[in-house]
């Protein structure tokens, strides 16, 4: 679409009558290409963010975001130890739906870069626990989606069946997923208020001299609902160093009944994103998407431990579970959420340059197989040597960490199709309000 920041800022007065716009600028934090966005400076010192939808799906997301932000009353926000963007208003820019919200300050940390220990990891776990501890009446009263444990289980069963019906899911995965659905112990949980699939970039941080980075805000509320709390921990599959500390902090801060199967369901939900991607491509009759999803699922199946098809076989140890096979999926393929209109602290691409890290690894003769697996998957797991992490920025929404074939460095049409498919996966996931 490419609307200028000045055009977008001018529309703020329609959403906020009486506002005096004194300046406009583009955001320095890149989005995923589905929105036109800008920052408007007001005469009273406030800065507002405006997003304009690029298509019907994006418009639906903006409508859901508006409803969720309005559902978070002052009383509900007071229960949270961080800030939530204030809803300002809605309008239209040409034929596109536009949402205006408060601009929150702060910086973001990509999942693979969240460090273990004190600071970011512990603060993220506590923040998620705070959301899950909110009364469900906040969501139900606003008419937002609510699912029981059984309804969440039934929805997973439908995803598994739909994916299996395409004939492109490896049998080992289908067996494991169906065993998970059939395991009653896995689905004995209490539904909670959830963000519906938080990502690492949903968190905004400020630095604390004593405690390290602390969550100061959360963005991306369009999927606010009542459902399985594991959905907000699925992103930890792409955060190998911080996962244990986030989960420990979550458990310590949570006022809810302990859920022994929480981490297992979280891994299952993350893995099933590739099944959803497959079903999405099949429904659109898009062979490129179907082939891409099938390749990811094959890679996942190849990483399974021999003979290990039981999801909760060693749940108590938390190490040898078959769900650990999810670690074989490259971290860059895990979808991210769009936060472009709610923080303007920096461009994350300027902070983490994966290409520099890759160069250093190639120059190191001591680089072993474990390091190579970490490069491929973002986690230390089974070797998927036929894949490597791409360091090309590509088109909007792709970013570092996406896949390309290791045995062919040339840029062929097939390579471009793979990168485009993965970028589409990211955009599709962030627009899914379910």
């Amino acid at each position: 679409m490419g609307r200028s920041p000045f055009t977008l800022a001018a529309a703020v007065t329609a959403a906020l009558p009486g506002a005096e716009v004194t300046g406009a600028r583009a955001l320095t934090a890149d989005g995923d290409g589905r929105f036109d966005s800008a920052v408007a400076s007001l005469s009273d010192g406030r800065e507002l963010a405006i997003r304009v939808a690029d298509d019907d799906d994006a418009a639906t997301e903006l409508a859901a975001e508006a409803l969720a932000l309005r559902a978070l009353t002052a009383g509900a926000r007071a229960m949270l130890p961080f800030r939530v963007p204030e809803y300002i208003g809605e309008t239209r820019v040409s034929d596109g739906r536009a949402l205006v919200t408060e601009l929150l300050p702060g910086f973001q940390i990509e999942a693979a870069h969240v460090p273990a220990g004190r600071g970011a990891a512990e603060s993220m776990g506590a923040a998620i626990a705070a959301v899950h501890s909110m009364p469900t009446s906040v969501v139900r009263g606003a008419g937002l989606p609510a699912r029981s444990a059984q309804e969440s289980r039934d929805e997973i069963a439908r995803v598994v069946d739909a994916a299996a019906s395409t004939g492109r899911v490896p049998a080992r995965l289908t067996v494991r997923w169906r065993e998970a659905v059939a395991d009653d112990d896995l689905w004995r949980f209490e539904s909670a208020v959830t963000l519906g699939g938080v990502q690492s970039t949903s968190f905004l941080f400020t630095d604390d001299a004593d405690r390290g980075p602390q969550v100061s805000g959360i963005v991306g509320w369009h999927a606010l609902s009542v459902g399985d709390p594991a959905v907000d921990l699925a992103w930890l599959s792409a955060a190998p160093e911080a996962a244990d500390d986030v989960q420990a902090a979550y458990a310590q801060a949570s006022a809810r009944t302990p859920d022994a199967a929480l981490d297992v369901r979280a891994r299952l939900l993350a893995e099933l994103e590739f099944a959803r991607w497959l079903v999405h491509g099949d429904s659109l009759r898009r062979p490129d998407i179907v082939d891409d999803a099938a390749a990811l699922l094959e890679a996942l199946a190849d990483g399974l431990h021999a003979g290990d098809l039981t999801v909760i076989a060693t749940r108590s140890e938390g190490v040898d579970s078959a769900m650990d096979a999810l670690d074989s999926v490259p971290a860059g393929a895990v979808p991210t959420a769009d936060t472009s209109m709610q923080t303007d602290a920096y461009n994350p691409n300027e902070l983490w340059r994966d290409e520099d890290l890759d160069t250093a690894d190639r120059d190191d003769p001591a680089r072993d197989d474990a390091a190579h697996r970490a490069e491929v998957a973002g986690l230390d797991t089974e070797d998927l040597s036929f894949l490597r992490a791409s360091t090309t920025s590509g088109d909007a929404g792709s970013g570092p960490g996406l896949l390309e074939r290791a045995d062919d460095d040339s840029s062929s049409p097939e390579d471009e199709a793979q990168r485009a498919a993965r970028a589409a996966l990211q955009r599709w996931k962030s627009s899914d309000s379910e």
Side-chain angles (χ1 to χ4, degrees), residues 57 158-159 161-168 274-291 293 428 432:
D57 289 339
R158 288 192 291 271
V159 171
D161 289 343
S165 70
T166 66
R168 301 296 299 272
F274 302 112
R276 295 179 189 274
W277 181 228
L278 175 66
V279 172
H280 177 68
D282 186 65
S283 67
L284 294 180
R285 301 185 184 277
R286 288 279 302 275
D288 56 332
I289 295 177
V290 170
D291 290 345
W428 169 75
D432 181 9

Side-chain angles (χ1 to χ4, degrees), residues 287-329:
D288 56 332
I289 295 177
V290 170
D291 290 345
D292 182 71
L296 290 170
L297 291 169
E298 288 287 351
L300 180 63
D302 288 345
L304 288 174
H305 299 295
D308 189 359
L309 297 176
T310 304
V311 173
I312 61 168
T314 54
R315 180 189 303 154
S316 59
E317 289 87 348
V319 175
D320 295 325
S321 167
M323 293 305 295
D324 288 343
L326 179 61
D327 295 348
S328 296
V329 177

Side-chain angles (χ1 to χ4, degrees), residues 20 46 58 98 103 149 156 183 303 334 341 352 359 403:
E20 182 179 347
R46 285 185 296 168
L103 182 74
I156 293 299
D183 183 359
V334 178
M341 272 309 300
W352 295 295
T359 300
L403 295 184

Side-chain angles (χ1 to χ4, degrees), residues 330-350:
V334 178
T336 59
D338 169 50
T339 59
S340 62
M341 272 309 300
Q342 300 159 80
T343 178
D344 193 32
Y346 64 88
N347 185 338
N349 290 333
E350 295 176 355

Side-chain angles (χ1 to χ4, degrees), residues 73-338:
T73 62
R77 291 166 185 259
M79 301 176 190
L80 301 173
F82 52 80
R83 293 179 62 188
V84 177
E86 290 284 353
Y87 169 86
I88 301 300
E90 297 170 81
T91 185
R92 298 193 70 84
V93 177
S94 299
D95 58 347
R97 185 182 193 122
L99 173 64
V100 180
T101 63
E102 175 190 16
L103 182 74
L104 294 185
F107 62 91
Q108 302 154 297
I109 306 176
E110 296 287 346
H113 298 281
V114 178
R118 296 180 60 202
E122 292 184 353
S123 184
M124 293 167 97
I128 297 171
V131 174
H132 292 180
S133 296
M134 295 177 69
T136 59
S137 59
V138 171
V139 170
R140 297 181 188 276
L144 295 169
R147 285 195 182 100
S148 65
Q150 184 59 49
E151 289 170 332
S152 296
R153 183 182 190 177
D154 292 342
E155 195 270 337
I156 293 299
R158 288 192 291 271
V159 171
V160 172
D161 289 343
S165 70
T166 66
R168 301 296 299 272
V169 180
R172 302 183 74 200
L173 292 179
T174 302
V175 169
R176 182 174 62 177
W177 293 342
R178 285 180 170 158
E179 285 182 347
V181 172
D183 183 359
D184 292 337
D185 289 339
L186 202 61
W187 304 99
R188 292 193 175 105
F189 66 85
E190 178 187 0
S191 292
V193 174
T194 75
L195 284 158
V198 70
Q199 301 294 326
S200 66
T201 48
S202 301
F203 300 90
L204 305 179
F205 296 90
T206 56
D207 274 323
D208 184 284
D210 297 322
R211 297 182 296 166
Q214 297 294 302
V215 174
S216 59
I218 290 184
V219 296
W221 292 80
H222 64 273
L224 182 66
S225 60
V226 171
D228 186 354
V231 71
D232 286 339
L233 296 169
W235 67 274
L236 290 175
S237 295
E241 294 185 4
D244 289 345
D245 289 320
V246 172
Q247 290 172 338
Y250 173 86
Q252 183 176 5
S254 179
R256 297 166 48 80
T257 302
D259 181 355
L262 181 68
D263 60 330
V264 178
R265 289 199 317 279
R267 287 178 176 266
L268 174 63
L269 291 169
E271 184 173 332
L272 284 173
E273 283 305 321
F274 302 112
R276 295 179 189 274
W277 181 228
L278 175 66
V279 172
H280 177 68
D282 186 65
S283 67
L284 294 180
R285 301 185 184 277
R286 288 279 302 275
D288 56 332
I289 295 177
V290 170
D291 290 345
D292 182 71
L296 290 170
L297 291 169
E298 288 287 351
L300 180 63
D302 288 345
L304 288 174
H305 299 295
D308 189 359
L309 297 176
T310 304
V311 173
I312 61 168
T314 54
R315 180 189 303 154
S316 59
E317 289 87 348
V319 175
D320 295 325
S321 167
M323 293 305 295
D324 288 343
L326 179 61
D327 295 348
S328 296
V329 177
V334 178
T336 59
D338 169 50

